[in-house]
Amino acid sequence: MAEYKVAVIPGDGVGLEVISEGRKALETVASVTDGLSFQFTEFPWGSEYYRETGNLMPADGIETLKAFDTILFGAVGDPNIPDHITLHGLLLPMRRSFDQGVCIRPAYLYPGVESPLSGKKAGDIDMVIFRENTEGEYAPVGGRLYAGTPHETVVQTNMFTRRGTERIIRAAFEYCDRRNKKSGKKVTSVTKSNAQSFGMVFWDEVFTEVAAGFPHIETESLLVDRACMDLVRWPEDFDVMVASNLFADILSDISAVVTGSMGLAPSANINPEHDYPSLFEPVHGAAFDIMGKGIANPLATVSAVAMMLDHLGEQSAADRVDNAVANCLEQRTILTADLGGTASTSQMGDEAARLIREG
Ligand code: GGG
């Protein structure tokens, strides 16, 4: 009997709306799986908490979360609080404190979903982006001097460690090998090493070193500008991509949108050593334009739940949730507005739950 302790952090904006559908998916799959159960604890952290206390989470928040097996996260961001305060106050401390250096962001063009790119059929786009998740351009290293004077000086430093760089690149190769895409195995590394001649030249060197251990996997190195073009014109050419924190964040918004909607893209923030809880979230953020309307697509969160189950070793439950997402999209009866429908977030979440139950 496996009972998992799940920390639920809805956060802000549409995170508050989609998280209950993720939780519903977990409760439903537990109800039809022998020996699987979840104990949920919800934390009201985020921008409202900041308005009340001056912090996005309590001082002992990280310590509190260590007792959990896994974290389900909604979104962070508020129209009235600067984004760097909200992001650095909640999501990034969890990624760093829990050494979640491997972020996995799959993008698949499902049957029933139309790509904004012409002529793409279901399955044509099928890629997984590996994002270095705790350092690179997101490292809080830098400073600001002489603010408000003509001598104002700002330094923001990218940070690449051998451990972090090798770990994400190796994770990408190992995943590519396991995934065994029918059209062939390929890992594409994305940098800007012509311009960033320290950190990204180092990244290229580590990529070459790690690739040597996987001689049966095709490799490719692209500059990020070229990679963005190719994601739009030839997305079917990609299998596994690996890139730094910022670049992979940008690439994964493109991969989400070419597969039909930001509302379908899940993300797993993994501590590969299992020393700390890993965190699962939709790629989309708080979505100020639609928050409070109850129309956000919950399937990115439901797919994130499938990734959580997979990471916990509950493979058949993960497959059941993944199949429900695919069936919900293929039948096209209950869809949110981003996919051309009129359903609410909870109606689509209910439909995903019904399909999970049906199996
Ligand atoms: N659920 C994702 C979320 O809250 N995203 C806010 C955001 O902008 N995150 C930045 C990042 O993942 O780098």
Side-chain angles (χ1 to χ4, degrees):
M1 168 86 184
E3 183 178 68
Y4 297 102
K5 286 194 272 188
V6 185
V8 180
I9 308 173
D12 296 330
V14 298
L16 295 158
E17 300 161 43
V18 295
I19 207 86
S20 42
E21 307 313 314
R23 188 169 162 166
K24 193 183 285 172
L26 280 173
E27 283 162 346
T28 308
V29 79
S31 74
V32 292
T33 308
D34 281 343
L36 178 66
S37 67
F38 299 98
Q39 195 190 99
F40 297 99
T41 307
E42 196 155 315
F43 295 96
W45 302 340
S47 296
E48 214 36 62
Y49 192 87
Y50 176 80
R51 271 188 273 274
E52 286 160 18
T53 67
N55 292 299
L56 273 286
M57 69 195 297
D60 63 355
I62 293 294
E63 213 41 49
T64 303
L65 291 174
K66 281 186 186 162
F68 288 83
D69 296 305
T70 186
I71 303 167
L72 180 61
F73 184 75
V76 66
D78 184 281
N80 300 311
I81 305 175
D83 284 337
H84 67 277
I85 299 215
T86 51
L87 190 62
H88 281 269
L90 185 59
L91 187 52
L92 301 191
M94 292 192 282
R95 289 183 185 159
R96 280 198 298 270
S97 303
F98 297 142
D99 199 15
Q100 294 164 352
V102 174
C103 179
I104 308 175
R105 296 187 159 186
Y108 182 72
L109 182 57
Y110 283 98
V113 178
E114 202 180 329
S115 169
L117 306 178
S118 64
K120 304 296 176 210
K121 312 184 297 302
D124 279 355
I125 308 175
D126 177 8
M127 71 182 86
V128 183
I129 295 181
F130 274 64
R131 171 188 186 183
E132 197 297 311
N133 212 34
T134 53
E135 46 189 62
E137 307 86 345
Y138 276 48
V141 180
R144 192 163 179 167
L145 292 174
Y146 315 121
T149 75
H151 299 287
E152 186 155 11
T153 305
V154 183
V155 176
Q156 179 95 45
T157 304
N158 293 352
M159 191 183 88
F160 296 92
T161 66
R162 179 163 281 280
R163 173 180 179 263
T165 308
E166 195 176 319
R167 175 161 77 162
I168 189 66
I169 293 173
R170 187 170 298 285
F173 274 96
E174 287 173 354
Y175 183 93
C176 179
D177 213 4
R178 279 200 308 279
R179 156 176 151 93
N180 223 358
K181 192 176 172 184
K182 281 199 193 75
S183 54
K185 299 172 193 236
K186 181 165 86 168
V187 178
T188 303
S189 166
V190 179
T191 63
K192 188 72 182 173
S193 50
N194 56 346
Q196 301 254 298
S197 57
F198 301 113
M200 291 200 170
V201 167
F202 167 74
W203 176 290
D204 284 350
E205 287 168 11
V206 176
F207 183 72
T208 305
E209 280 167 32
V210 175
F214 299 85
H216 54 295
I217 296 182
E218 184 188 342
T219 59
E220 170 179 56
S221 291
L222 297 180
L223 298 179
V224 65
D225 37 352
R226 164 73 190 267
C228 290
M229 278 196 311
D230 288 358
L231 269 177
V232 174
R233 56 185 180 170
W234 304 318
E236 55 278 3
D237 282 1
F238 292 107
D239 176 8
V240 173
M241 299 179 92
V242 62
S244 63
N245 212 332
L246 177 63
F247 286 1
D249 186 44
I250 296 167
L251 295 169
S252 59
D253 271 27
I254 303 177
S255 68
V257 95
V258 298
T259 47
S261 172
M262 280 304 293
L264 295 175
S267 178
N269 301 266
I270 301 290
N271 170 241
E273 294 78 19
H274 291 260
D275 291 333
Y276 301 106
S278 292
L279 182 150
F280 301 83
E281 59 175 335
V283 169
H284 65 70
F288 305 151
D289 52 338
I290 57 164
M291 69 184 191
K293 296 186 179 167
I295 58 167
N297 187 335
L299 292 190
T301 306
V302 176
S303 290
V305 154
M307 296 182 85
M308 173 192 286
L309 290 163
D310 181 50
H311 182 69
L312 291 170
E314 301 292 344
Q315 194 53 57
S316 69
D319 291 345
R320 199 167 177 134
V321 174
D322 270 336
N323 290 339
V325 169
N327 291 339
C328 186
L329 293 168
E330 184 159 23
Q331 68 184 17
R332 292 196 61 81
T333 49
I334 298 178
L335 295 176
T336 42
D338 56 315
L339 297 173
T342 56
S344 68
T345 304
S346 64
Q347 285 169 334
M348 200 159 170
D350 285 345
E351 182 60 3
R354 185 184 74 74
L355 292 163
I356 292 170
R357 249 187 318 274
E358 217 170 58

